[in-house]
């Protein structure tokens, strides 16, 4: 297996690790893995061997499928975090109102 193919294989492995990190809520780790995957994929392009076009195509198709899956996971994580923050804001406003009402009642 050529160096380019090894790099694409590594990129696929990083994508799988990234998916696991996103599923586990380890977002900082997922970002780190995404950056490494991007760098490794870039190196694979630099080491492209025209004799391995079909194998590259196969790996790149799998990487594209993984990217689609990762995008879905990241979108769900974004929406979950956004909803959590919105609930926290509502709860904070509710508690502020409660404290204001109790403070006025005690005066």
């Amino acid at each position: 297996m050529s160096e380019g193919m090894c790099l694409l294989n590594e990129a696929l492995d990083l994508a799988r690790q990234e998916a696991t990190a996103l599923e586990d809520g380890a977002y900082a780790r997922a970002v780190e893995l995404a950056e490494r995957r991007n760098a490794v994929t870039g190196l694979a392009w630099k080491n492209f061997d025209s004799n391995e076009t079909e194998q590259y195509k196969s790996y790149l198709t799998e990487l594209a499928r993984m990217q689609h899956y990762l995008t879905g996971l990241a979108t769900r994580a974004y929406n979950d975090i956004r909803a959590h923050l919105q609930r926290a804001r509502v709860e904070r406003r509710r508690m502020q109102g409660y404290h204001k009402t109790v403070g006025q009642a005690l005066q």
Side-chain angles (χ1 to χ4, degrees):
M1 187 183 293
S2 72
E3 184 178 354
M5 294 301 296
C6 288
L7 289 167
L8 286 175
N9 193 39
E10 182 181 346
L12 273 173
D13 184 52
L14 290 169
R16 290 182 191 107
Q17 291 177 40
E18 184 182 345
T20 301
L22 283 171
E23 290 165 348
D24 293 344
Y27 303 123
R29 175 85 173 129
V31 168
E32 174 189 315
L33 290 165
E35 289 170 350
R36 283 182 45 205
R37 179 171 51 91
N38 184 40
V40 168
T41 304
L43 286 173
W45 274 116
K46 289 179 183 176
N47 289 299
F48 175 70
D49 182 356
S50 61
N51 296 328
E52 298 177 322
T53 302
E54 285 303 312
Q55 292 144 327
Y56 260 68
K57 182 179 174 182
S58 173
Y59 272 96
L60 292 173
T61 300
E62 181 64 16
L63 274 170
R65 189 192 66 74
M66 281 300 295
Q67 181 62 44
H68 181 73
Y69 178 68
L70 290 167
T71 300
L73 287 175
T75 300
R76 280 196 299 275
Y78 171 81
N79 289 336
D80 289 347
I81 291 168
R82 186 171 173 224
H84 177 74
L85 288 172
Q86 195 162 6
R87 285 190 303 273
R89 272 189 238 112
V90 168
E91 181 66 14
R92 187 189 72 224
R93 275 189 247 129
R94 186 184 72 77
M95 291 304 290
Q96 286 172 341
Y98 173 77
H99 286 291
K100 184 177 178 181
T101 302
V102 169
Q104 290 174 352
L106 292 175
Q107 290 178 352

